[in-house]
Amino acid sequence: MLSMYEIIRKKRDGLRLTEEEIRFVIKGYTKGRVPDYQMASLLMAMFIRGLDENESRVYTDAMLNSGQIIDLSDIPGIKVDKHSTGGVGDKVSIILAPIVAAAGVPVPMISGRGLGHTGGTLDKLESIPGFRVNLTIPEFKERLQKVGACLIGQTEEIVPADKKIYALRDVTATIESIPLICGSIMSKKIAEGIDALVLDIKTGSGAFMKEYEQSKELARQLIGIGEQFNKRTMAYITNMNQPLGNAVGNWLEIKECLDTLNGNGAEDLVEVTLTLAGTMIFLGEKADGIEDGIDKAREILRSGAAMDKFLEIVVAQNGDTHFLFHPDQYPKARYETEVKASTAGYLKQIDALKVGLAAVLLGAGRTRSEDEIDPKAGIIIHKKAPQKVEKDEVIMTLYTDNKQIIPEALKRLQDAIDYSETQPIPESLIFEFLDTSKA
Ligand code: URA
């Protein structure tokens, strides 16, 4: 007879857990037989002591089998998804899914909501009136088959263990553990029914993993889990010191996606999107190599085929396309305030974490899961590092309905700007590509 007390003690003392013990814990906690206090204690022991490769595989498998694994075998083609560890202004999924689907690669995408200072794809999509992210699995499959891409939220049936464990980790300071993150992310991705996966591991101030080596280790271990489950997995480590693109905030980001799909995208956003999309097209066997995949992605974006596919996705998920054709008619935030340069010089950095936190304050994110978000709230960034600015030149504009928080948001945004007298060397956007866990 297994005992939770013994399992906690073993992990506390740095011993390896058996497959039977890990499955006992995950099943017991999902079914409500293991209380929160014991699970929290075990998670902390796992956080401190870690999990070895085999424990990590079993933990992921136990999470995966806590719910339904979507069977997409009746949909032709190699199904490929992308997962980003989250950032500020990261609206890549919304541009990439239509590009990859237009290339003939099915994209089953289960996305998340905003978390802390980072935005969430579901919140952004829901700023389009009527857009449904809460589809049932049969509805999800039907749209994936018909349109080639479908973007939904986690359902009750998919990895219920993660829903409970993530909520507990969130309040017990056990989020930033590489094996626990791997189990959480990979179980959900594998449950979607994918054949292959591209990971965008963010590093820098606005990322969840701020240190480069930690980000790289996370990438390696995520790929390792992918390999163990026979899912071809590739990863990029990308820069999240500054927000990606120019908009931060839900509708503002959808508007930036429309501009990008119409051929007027910000350079950094386009580069990351095409690289990830091209890699997915290659993994989906619709290109001869990654470079060829990127060329195909660029052409799909240029030709307008990605925009057409995006409209198809929105319609299939009950979204109203009116504001997509007339974005200027979208309701406006009540207040609009400019953030001006306090000095002349070069912009060295616009700190992604500080911008993300200011966006939350303006109403674009949540501090508690039950908070309502304001789709109109956010920030438009007009100038980024390493551009030159004159004193009093407008660097950002903030949008909110909440007048009281404007002085605090302004202060935080001023504080996010770092100046330099000399022209800074532009930072790389994509640091590294990994396609095996042995790299
Ligand atoms: N995102 C997830 O889905 N899970 C984690 O553990 C961390 C980030």
Side-chain angles (χ1 to χ4, degrees):
M1 179 67 184
L2 293 172
S3 130
M4 208 42 207
Y5 178 90
E6 280 305 313
I7 294 171
I8 297 168
R9 192 186 54 74
K10 255 179 102 174
K11 194 35 86 185
R12 181 201 68 190
D13 293 344
L15 300 174
R16 192 175 297 133
L17 299 183
T18 65
E19 173 154 357
E20 196 191 2
E21 286 166 335
I22 295 172
R23 292 193 190 281
F24 167 83
V25 169
I26 302 295
K27 194 164 180 186
Y29 187 59
T30 311
K31 300 252 180 255
R33 292 193 292 265
V34 170
D36 282 353
Y37 54 84
Q38 283 189 315
M39 190 65 194
S41 175
L42 179 64
L43 288 168
M44 186 55 84
M46 287 174 155
F47 181 96
I48 292 167
R49 294 293 191 172
L51 299 181
D52 73 10
E53 204 176 305
N54 192 50
E55 287 177 303
S56 208
R57 177 188 58 80
V58 175
Y59 177 80
T60 307
D61 194 55
M63 301 271 278
L64 174 65
N65 286 293
S66 68
Q68 195 177 329
I69 302 169
I70 304 177
D71 179 7
L72 298 178
S73 57
D74 50 340
I75 299 178
I78 298 170
K79 277 66 90 185
V80 190
D81 191 11
K82 185 248 356 172
H83 179 82
S84 154
T85 54
V88 179
D90 181 4
K91 68 274 297 167
V92 168
S93 291
I94 299 167
I95 311 161
L96 160 153
I99 295 177
V100 178
V105 178
V107 184
M109 197 176 261
I110 297 185
S111 302
R113 297 210 174 265
L115 195 70
H117 66 282
T118 65
T121 299
L122 300 180
D123 298 324
K124 295 171 200 184
L125 289 169
E126 280 182 347
S127 71
I128 302 171
F131 195 101
R132 279 186 62 205
V133 297
N134 59 343
L135 301 180
T136 62
I137 293 174
E139 287 173 331
F140 171 69
K141 282 184 66 171
E142 187 205 320
R143 281 151 181 87
L144 180 65
Q145 177 133 39
K146 197 165 144 242
V147 180
C150 189
L151 298 91
I152 61 165
Q154 201 181 345
T155 71
E156 293 297 328
E157 301 100 316
I158 295 168
V159 196
D162 184 62
K163 222 174 176 160
K164 276 192 89 176
I165 293 174
Y166 194 91
L168 191 61
R169 285 170 58 210
D170 203 19
V171 292
T172 55
T174 48
I175 292 282
E176 301 91 344
S177 148
I178 290 180
L180 297 181
I181 295 172
C182 284
S184 168
I185 292 177
M186 294 305 282
S187 60
K188 285 179 288 193
K189 290 288 131 182
I190 297 165
E192 285 173 355
I194 52 162
D195 301 305
L197 179 65
V198 177
L199 296 162
D200 181 6
I201 311 294
K202 302 283 185 200
T203 193
S205 94
F208 183 45
M209 289 279 166
K210 305 205 187 308
E211 302 302 324
Y212 193 84
E213 275 314 310
Q214 261 189 327
S215 308
K216 186 161 175 179
E217 186 52 29
L218 176 62
R220 272 202 208 102
Q221 292 198 25
L222 286 165
I223 293 174
I225 301 271
E227 283 168 347
Q228 292 188 355
F229 285 83
N230 289 321
K231 308 292 175 193
R232 187 86 157 85
T233 306
M234 294 179 168
Y236 290 87
I237 302 181
T238 69
N239 193 331
M240 193 28 80
N241 280 318
Q242 286 205 106
L244 197 58
N246 300 326
V248 180
N250 299 288
W251 168 255
L252 299 177
E253 293 194 41
I254 292 290
K255 172 118 178 3
E256 185 171 23
C257 291
L258 296 173
D259 292 341
T260 309
L261 289 164
N262 280 322
N264 303 311
E267 222 175 281
D268 58 348
L269 176 61
V270 171
E271 184 182 337
V272 172
T273 304
L274 293 181
T275 303
L276 296 169
T279 308
M280 290 172 76
I281 295 170
F282 165 64
L283 285 173
E285 296 185 0
K286 298 288 179 189
D288 295 333
I290 294 178
E291 281 307 316
D292 182 38
I294 294 173
D295 288 344
K296 290 200 159 71
R298 186 176 290 109
E299 178 51 25
I300 289 167
L301 186 62
R302 195 207 56 76
S303 68
M307 183 63 174
D308 292 344
K309 186 57 77 181
F310 177 64
L311 294 171
E312 236 187 286
I313 295 170
V314 172
V315 170
Q317 297 194 228
N318 292 53
D320 181 344
T321 55
H322 176 80
F323 293 120
L324 306 183
F325 291 108
H326 306 282
D328 295 336
Q329 292 177 15
Y330 198 82
K332 300 262 180 309
R334 211 167 301 153
Y335 305 101
E336 191 178 319
T337 305
E338 291 174 340
V339 182
K340 294 182 179 169
S342 59
T343 178
Y346 291 93
L347 294 173
K348 195 168 165 202
Q349 197 193 352
I350 296 193
D351 186 279
L353 174 62
K354 291 178 181 166
V355 172
L357 290 171
V360 173
L361 199 64
L362 293 167
R366 301 179 184 81
T367 48
R368 293 167 311 163
S369 59
E370 60 274 24
D371 287 351
E372 289 269 325
I373 56 163
D374 175 3
K376 314 178 299 305
I379 299 154
I380 296 288
I381 304 168
H382 307 286
K383 296 266 174 171
K384 284 167 85 170
Q387 282 179 292
K388 195 172 180 198
V389 290
E390 298 303 328
K391 183 165 169 19
D392 290 330
E393 195 172 339
V394 179
I395 300 182
M396 292 180 253
T397 306
L398 61 83
Y399 297 87
T400 187
D401 277 354
N402 184 352
K403 193 175 182 181
Q404 276 120 313
I405 49 84
I406 294 176
E408 174 64 20
L410 267 175
K411 190 167 151 290
R412 290 190 190 200
L413 289 171
Q414 284 290 3
D415 192 41
I417 309 169
D418 202 1
Y419 299 90
S420 159
E421 283 179 13
T422 53
Q423 186 163 21
I425 298 166
E427 286 188 13
S428 302
L429 197 55
I430 298 174
F431 292 117
E432 204 168 340
F433 169 68
L434 287 91
D435 76 344
T436 152
S437 57
K438 308 291 175 280

